[in-house]
Amino acid sequence: MINWAAVPKTELHLHIEGAAPPDFIRMLAAEKNVDLSKIFNDDGSYVWKDFAEFLQTYEAACSVLQTPDDFRRLTEAVLDVSAAHGVIYTEMFLSPDFCGGGDLEAWKDYLAAMTVGAENGKAKHGIETRFISTCIRHFGPEKAVQTAKITALTAGGLLTGYGMGGEERHLHAADFSKSFEIAAEAGLGLTSHAGEICGAESVRETLDSLNVTRIGHGVRAIEDADLIARLVEEQIVLEVCPGSNIALNVYPTWGDHPIEKLRKAGVPVTVSTDDPPYFYTDMTREYRKLHETFGWGLADFQAINRTAMKAAFCDDKTRQRLMAKFE
C-alpha cells in the first residue's frame, strides 16, 4: 500500500490565509483575546454549511491576522502542514490588499516577514516556496492596477508571480488587462482564476485578455471542445483543485470531476488544495482520492508533478533540481 503522504509533491495553487491551520488561528485568537469559538466545530475544524457561511468563517479567521509577524508565523504554520504531506515546492497566493491595505511600504514589511517565514520553512523542512501577488477581481480594475504597480516594485526574491482571485462573475477579464501588462513588464509569471464558478467562456476571455500561462481551476473548460483543443495547443496549465471543487459543489462527487477527462485530452493539469482546512482536505487526501477514483499510480503523479514544475514560477536551477525528484 502506497504511503501517499511520503510521495514528493508540487503545489501551485494555495491561498496563504485560506491555508491557515485551525489550531494556529485559535492560538492567535487567544493571544489577541478574540472570541472565534463560533467558527469551529467540536473537532476543531472550521464551520461552514454554504458559500455565504464559508466567506463569513474565512473573514473571521483572517481578522486575527493583523501584523507582518502574524503572517510570518502563518507562513511557517502553513509550510509545516504542506511538508507533512510531502510537498517539496509550493506557491502561495498573497495580496497587497490584505497585507498592508494596498500601501507599498506596509506591503514591503509583510512581504519581508513572509519571506523570513518561507526561509525558516526551507531550513526546517527543505521545502521551496514562491509567492504570487494577486489583485482582487471584485475590487475593480483601478485597484488592480495599483496592486500590479506595488507588485512590480517589489518583484524578485520569492515574489515571482502575479494573478487574480476574487469574484469570478465580476466584470470581464479584459477590464484587468492593464494590471497584467504591468506585471508582465516586471518579469512576473502570470496566472488567473477562471472557469471555476463561471463556465468555459470565462477561461477563453482570460486567455484572450491577460496573456497568462496558467489558469487557476479552469475545470469548466471541459464544457467546450474547441477550448480544450486550444488549451492543448497552447499548453496552458490548469491549477486543478478537485477537493475544493467538490466541497463548493462545482461537481457533486470525485467521479464527476473532469480532471481525468482533461488529462486524457492532453490538457496539462496539476493538483492543488486551494484553501485546504476549509475544504477538509490536504495534498495526501487529494492524491489518495485521485488514486481511488481514477486509478492514478505513482507514474501518473510523477507526470503531474513534472508538469507542475515546468509551469512553476521559479528559476531554472531550482526547477531542474526539483524536477529530478519526479524522474
Side-chain angles (χ1 to χ4, degrees), residues 7-326:
V7 175
K9 305 172 183 71
T10 293
E11 181 162 27
L12 300 182
H13 191 111
L14 184 69
H15 296 268
I16 189 168
E17 297 96 343
D23 287 347
F24 174 77
I25 293 297
R26 278 196 300 274
M27 177 180 67
L28 213 56
E31 291 176 7
K32 299 175 187 290
N33 295 312
V34 176
D35 182 8
L36 291 182
S37 58
K38 291 182 179 179
I39 72 168
F40 298 109
N41 288 305
D42 290 341
D43 65 1
S45 61
Y46 291 119
V47 169
W48 65 279
K49 296 187 295 292
D50 53 33
F51 191 65
E53 191 174 9
F54 162 69
L55 292 177
Q56 291 172 359
T57 296
Y58 195 109
E59 183 177 347
C62 289
S63 70
V64 296
L65 294 166
Q66 300 168 351
T67 69
D69 197 59
D70 291 341
F71 275 84
R72 174 195 61 79
R73 295 168 65 191
L74 171 62
T75 303
E76 293 177 13
V78 170
L79 292 177
D80 284 345
V81 175
S82 293
H85 292 285
V87 177
I88 62 173
Y89 178 89
T90 185
E91 293 184 355
M92 296 185 188
F93 293 110
L94 325 169
S95 177
D97 293 305
F98 301 139
C99 298
D103 177 79
L104 174 60
E105 294 306 316
W107 165 245
K108 288 179 180 178
D109 290 340
Y110 277 88
L111 184 59
M114 289 182 283
T115 297
V116 170
E119 291 170 346
N120 290 343
K122 182 177 180 179
K124 184 177 181 181
H125 303 293
I127 187 171
E128 286 280 357
T129 303
R130 297 296 185 272
F131 297 135
I132 302 173
S133 174
T134 59
C135 63
I136 310 302
R137 188 165 183 153
H138 53 271
F139 288 0
E142 291 184 7
K143 188 69 170 175
V145 167
Q146 180 185 354
T147 297
K149 289 179 177 177
I150 290 172
T151 303
L153 289 170
T154 51
L158 300 187
L159 178 57
T160 56
Y162 182 77
M164 180 164 64
E167 174 52 75
E168 189 183 347
R169 293 165 290 192
H170 187 74
L171 300 175
H172 296 283
D175 297 321
F176 299 88
S177 59
K178 179 61 176 178
S179 69
F180 277 76
E181 290 171 6
I182 293 168
E185 289 171 2
L188 293 159
L190 303 180
T191 182
S192 181
H193 287 57
E196 178 191 18
I197 303 303
C198 297
E201 187 58 31
S202 171
V203 177
R204 182 178 290 102
E205 288 182 358
T206 299
L207 294 177
D208 288 343
S209 305
L210 304 183
N211 199 32
V212 297
T213 59
R214 293 169 19 190
I215 295 285
H217 297 289
V219 286
R220 293 192 60 187
I222 197 67
E223 299 165 13
D224 187 320
D226 289 340
L227 178 58
I228 292 296
R230 179 178 177 180
L231 294 174
V232 174
E233 180 181 359
E234 298 180 14
Q235 286 294 284
I236 302 297
V237 173
L238 302 187
E239 305 157 3
V240 183
C241 307
S244 166
N245 298 153
I246 293 160
L248 292 175
N249 295 314
V250 179
Y251 299 100
T253 70
W254 280 83
D256 295 305
H257 197 279
I259 189 171
E260 171 73 344
K261 292 178 181 177
L262 289 163
R263 186 173 178 232
K264 282 187 174 180
V267 177
V269 299
T270 63
V271 176
S272 295
T273 56
D274 202 10
D275 303 302
Y278 289 92
F279 302 141
Y280 314 117
T281 193
D282 50 53
M283 285 292 274
T284 299
R285 180 176 184 269
E286 299 288 316
Y287 275 45
R288 186 177 68 250
K289 294 295 289 186
L290 289 166
H291 168 68
E292 293 171 352
T293 306
F294 301 115
W296 289 10
L298 288 177
D300 298 289
F301 288 111
Q302 285 176 327
I304 291 289
N305 281 296
R306 287 195 295 271
T307 295
M309 282 311 310
K310 288 177 184 176
F313 299 151
C314 67
D315 57 282
D316 284 338
K317 183 178 180 181
T318 299
R319 189 190 325 280
Q320 294 306 318
R321 177 172 60 83
L322 295 180
M323 189 76 80
K325 305 282 188 180
F326 307 119

